[in-house]
């Protein structure tokens, strides 16, 4: 199956094409059934608000059970994998987690931001990965248009100063400082506004998440780090 067909099948289930690459052993892509090595990996996810409504209208988003977005991702990416004759891989599979951020940097012009998450020249910090398709055969891929990281020319770095508790320290992201603050403000503070550091970035502002999308992600993040209870 060719890439345009995979892209249109993915779009139909609400997933954006997030680039693709030919893996080598350093990429640590799991083997396919029968010990076969995948030849192509296609990444899928959300860019800005694209796809959010499809998830939000799904059964998983409304059934009140845990991990709705991961369960939705599993269902739609496994469906696609069966259609294209590949294997589904997930960013939430683990630990150990699959190196999706490393793969993303092989697949499209994203680079590490000072916050740890990847920045895209157009989408800014407003994008994520929901799964990948490992394919047994090499398919034709377009030339990647590499672009420099927007962080390289951002001298003010407002993302670093916007955090109310200075969670971005010299050694990286101090998760416990962020978690303690979120636990203290409970459903207020960043849990209701969104991460102030992420919001301070000037790149891709038009693609910032919608209020319900922000609320969903911040709440699940606060639950995952133990700042609030589900
Ligand atoms: C564990 C994890 C976390 C942990 C710890 C992160 C850490 N300190 O390493 C916690 C819970 C803190 C976390 C937080 C968040 N995460 Co997180 N996280 C992951 C997860 C599941 C595994 C990362 C990992 O260990 N990979 C294994 C190593 C071997 O893979 P790697 O690609 O080589 O490693 C890269 C990362 O570790 C990265 N990295 C290094 N330091 C940090 C720090 C942070 C905060 C992050 C996010 C990444 C990061 O750099 C490495 C080289 O590229 C990934 C999904 C995935 N499978 O990648 C999501 C992932 C990285 N997270 C993501 C997001 C969006 C977030 C949050 C914004 C919350 C949210 N869901 O909205 C916050 C960030 C908070 C903030 N204020 O900025 C996205 C990032 C998308 C992007 N644009 O890059 C991912 C890819 C999930 C997804 N489905 O898209 N996360
Ligand atoms: S504010 Fe500047 S340094 Fe921070 S993520 Fe955005 S572009 Fe990069
Ligand atoms: S969520 Fe709030 S406290 Fe946590 S890193 Fe972002 S700005 Fe800082």
């Amino acid at each position: 199956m060719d890439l345009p067909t995979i892209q249109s099948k993915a779009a139909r289930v609400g997933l954006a094409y997030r680039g693709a690459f030919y893996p080598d052993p350093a990429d640590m892509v799991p083997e396919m059934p029968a010990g076969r090595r995948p030849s192509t990996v296609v990444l899928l996810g959300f860019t800005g608000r694209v796809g959010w409504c499809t998830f939000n209208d799904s059964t998983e988003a409304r059934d009140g059970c845990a991990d709705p977005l991961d369960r939705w991702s599993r269902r739609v990416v496994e469906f696609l994998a069966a259609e294209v004759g590949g294997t589904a891989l997930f960013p939430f599979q683990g630990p150990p987690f699959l190196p999706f951020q490393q793969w993303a940097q092989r697949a499209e012009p994203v680079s590490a931001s000072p916050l740890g998450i990847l920045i895209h020249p157009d989408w800014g910090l407003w994008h994520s990965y929901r799964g990948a398709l490992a394919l047994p055969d090499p398919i034709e891929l377009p030339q990647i248009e590499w672009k420099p990281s927007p962080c390289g020319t951002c001298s003010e770095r407002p993302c670093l100063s916007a955090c109310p508790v200075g969670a971005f320290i010299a050694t990286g992201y101090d998760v416990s400082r962020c978690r303690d603050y979120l636990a203290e403000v409970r459903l207020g503070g960043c849990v209701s506004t969104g991460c102030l550091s992420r919001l301070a970035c000037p790149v891709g502002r038009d693609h910032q998440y919608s209020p319900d999308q922000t609320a969903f992600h911040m709440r699940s993040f606060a639950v995952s780090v133990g700042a609030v209870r589900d």
Side-chain angles (χ1 to χ4, degrees):
M1 192 172 293
D2 63 11
L3 186 62
T5 311
I6 296 175
Q7 287 170 318
S8 76
K9 282 179 182 292
R12 243 179 274 148
V13 296
L15 287 168
Y17 168 69
R18 303 301 320 275
F21 64 101
Y22 303 121
D24 56 40
D27 293 312
M28 293 178 295
V29 178
E31 280 181 357
M32 301 182 68
R36 204 159 166 195
R37 293 212 66 79
S39 293
T40 312
V41 174
V42 177
L43 298 181
L44 302 168
F46 286 161
T47 45
R49 291 173 219 125
V50 182
W52 172 253
C53 293
T54 314
F55 159 68
N56 218 14
D57 288 341
S58 71
T59 332
E60 288 85 355
R62 291 150 193 273
D63 66 11
C65 299
D67 304 323
L69 185 54
D70 291 350
R71 287 186 292 115
W72 175 81
S73 306
R74 200 175 273 288
R75 175 167 64 80
V76 298
V77 179
E78 278 176 354
F79 167 78
L80 282 175
E83 278 213 309
V84 304
T87 304
L89 302 169
F90 298 99
F92 45 83
Q93 193 175 322
F97 294 109
L98 293 171
F100 263 73
Q101 291 191 294
Q102 184 187 314
W103 296 350
Q105 290 172 80
R106 300 262 278 113
E108 59 175 355
V110 290
S111 40
S113 73
L115 305 184
I117 56 177
L118 299 174
I119 189 160
H120 185 281
D122 303 321
W123 304 110
L125 301 171
W126 307 102
H127 63 99
S128 65
Y129 302 91
R130 297 311 325 157
L133 300 171
L135 307 176
D137 300 313
I139 59 168
E140 198 180 327
L141 301 178
Q143 190 78 27
I144 301 171
E145 216 187 298
W146 296 108
K147 294 179 187 170
S149 166
C151 302
T153 48
C154 176
S155 49
E156 304 259 305
R157 303 208 152 195
C159 57
L160 292 179
S161 50
C163 174
V165 290
F168 301 97
I169 52 175
T171 47
Y173 173 42
D174 186 342
V175 182
S176 53
R177 212 179 271 196
C178 170
R179 183 198 47 232
D180 292 351
Y181 167 74
L182 297 183
E184 198 183 305
V185 296
R186 300 189 60 76
L187 298 180
C190 300
V191 182
S192 73
T193 57
C195 170
L196 295 180
S197 287
R198 209 173 176 187
L199 286 164
C201 178
V203 183
R205 278 230 160 104
D206 292 348
H207 305 298
Q208 282 183 358
Y209 292 168
S210 60
D212 59 332
Q213 193 176 3
T214 298
F216 174 90
H217 283 297
M218 282 309 294
R219 199 182 155 83
S220 1
F221 170 58
V223 169
S224 76
V225 293
V228 297
R229 289 223 183 121
D230 209 356

